[in-house]
Amino acid sequence: MRIGIIGAGRIGATLARHFARIGHEVAISNSRGPETLEDLAARMGGSVQAMTPREAAEFGQVVVVSIPYGRYRELPAAQLRGKLVIDTVNYYPERDGHDSDLDGEATTSSEKIREYTGANLVKAFNAIYWDTLRDAVRPKGDPERLAIPVAGTDSEAKAVVSGLIRDIGFDPVDVGDLGEGGRKYQPGTNVYAVPLHADELSGLLHV
Ligand SMILES: NC(=O)c1ccc[n+]([C@@H]2O[C@H](COP(=O)([O-])OP(=O)(O)OC[C@H]3O[C@@H](n4cnc5c(N)ncnc54)[C@H](OP(=O)(O)O)[C@@H]3O)[C@@H](O)[C@H]2O)c1
């Protein structure tokens, strides 16, 4: 599969390495331009290329968005419209600036990004620290294998993302639709950044 990644920081670059390791073609991008990512891409091996965000969005059959929430209006919305997008984004007002819709809990960061891009959004990799994502890979059936909650409105898209999660070494747990489900593992919830096995996560989230 071709996977485009917008935001090649701690989470984006960790996912790029995992997806390349399991045989996908990956494009990474950031706000400063592909020339700032060429060394990183080269270190990740021949299946990872550096591109602009717009090019990475066009390249990917699946596109990961992994940037600070405060910058989501810089995303290439025209190229993301209708695409399967994995949203790793969390809202931290002290980093991102205040968004009154989110402060008032009228909606969620994922729903705002879906509204802006028109993408087929699946929320995943939001509730795991990047270094746990990097280091805690385990084979299927391993008692130490950790769970990753997944939320989205389109069950086919969630199935694709769940497959990627399994293939890189974690267990997906379907938490429901993008809004209601996604709220269950935002910053401040009881499962956020807590390493949990699938049965523990399902129990805590009542799913
Ligand atoms: N760190 C974690 O453990 C963790 C865990 C779960 C979820 N998250 C969430 O995932 C997202 C990414 O977190 P992170 O820790 O990986 O961030 P990070 O290390 O600070 O990296 C952010 C990346 O986004 C890029 N970026 C910023 N604005 C952009 C734009 N307009 N277009 C394209 N790229 C842009 C940055 O590139 P430039 O430097 O070129 O601007 C950088 O590559 C955040 O929303 C965060 O809250 C983080």
Side-chain angles (χ1 to χ4, degrees):
M1 189 186 290
R2 291 191 312 278
I3 303 178
I5 300 191
I6 301 179
R10 288 165 292 185
I11 291 285
T14 302
L15 287 174
R17 279 198 189 85
H18 283 326
F19 293 145
R21 168 174 60 80
I22 62 169
H24 296 294
E25 288 178 67
V26 178
I28 53 174
S29 65
N30 65 9
S31 72
R32 285 166 296 141
E35 62 284 358
T36 65
L37 289 171
E38 267 155 21
D39 286 350
L40 180 65
R43 287 200 300 278
M44 289 181 184
S47 59
V48 181
Q49 304 172 59
M51 296 187 183
T52 66
R54 185 175 297 216
E55 289 165 346
E58 279 167 353
F59 171 88
Q61 294 161 292
V62 170
V63 179
V64 176
V65 169
S66 192
I67 67 173
Y69 174 75
R71 298 185 67 178
Y72 80 88
R73 286 188 187 81
E74 297 168 26
L75 288 168
Q79 284 71 26
L80 293 175
R81 188 140 298 127
K83 279 237 169 159
L84 199 178
V85 166
I86 302 176
D87 163 34
T88 85
V89 173
N90 289 317
Y91 169 55
Y92 279 104
E94 60 279 16
R95 176 194 66 191
D96 299 318
H98 280 274
D99 180 319
S100 57
D101 293 339
L102 301 188
D103 291 343
E105 299 190 9
T107 185
T108 60
S109 58
S110 297
E111 290 167 291
K112 294 270 288 204
I113 295 172
R114 177 172 64 183
E115 190 182 316
Y116 180 72
T117 58
N120 185 4
L121 219 73
V122 176
K123 185 180 179 87
F125 304 110
N126 315 70
I128 183 166
Y129 278 134
W130 74 275
D131 50 356
T132 308
L133 180 64
R134 180 190 61 192
D135 299 335
V137 165
R138 296 288 184 278
K140 191 171 187 318
D142 187 306
E144 296 298 312
R145 185 153 142 134
L146 297 180
I148 293 194
V150 177
T153 307
D154 177 349
S155 49
E156 277 181 35
K158 273 197 289 198
V160 171
V161 176
S162 297
L164 287 170
I165 290 170
R166 276 187 207 98
D167 291 347
I168 66 170
F170 296 86
D171 284 325
V173 171
D174 186 344
V175 172
D177 75 12
L178 195 64
E180 194 69 18
R183 284 180 194 274
K184 295 181 178 174
Y185 54 96
Q186 292 187 139
T189 59
N190 59 343
V191 301
Y192 182 72
V194 182
L196 295 165
H197 306 301
D199 55 345
E200 296 170 324
L201 181 66
S202 304
L204 282 168
L205 296 185
H206 309 291
V207 293

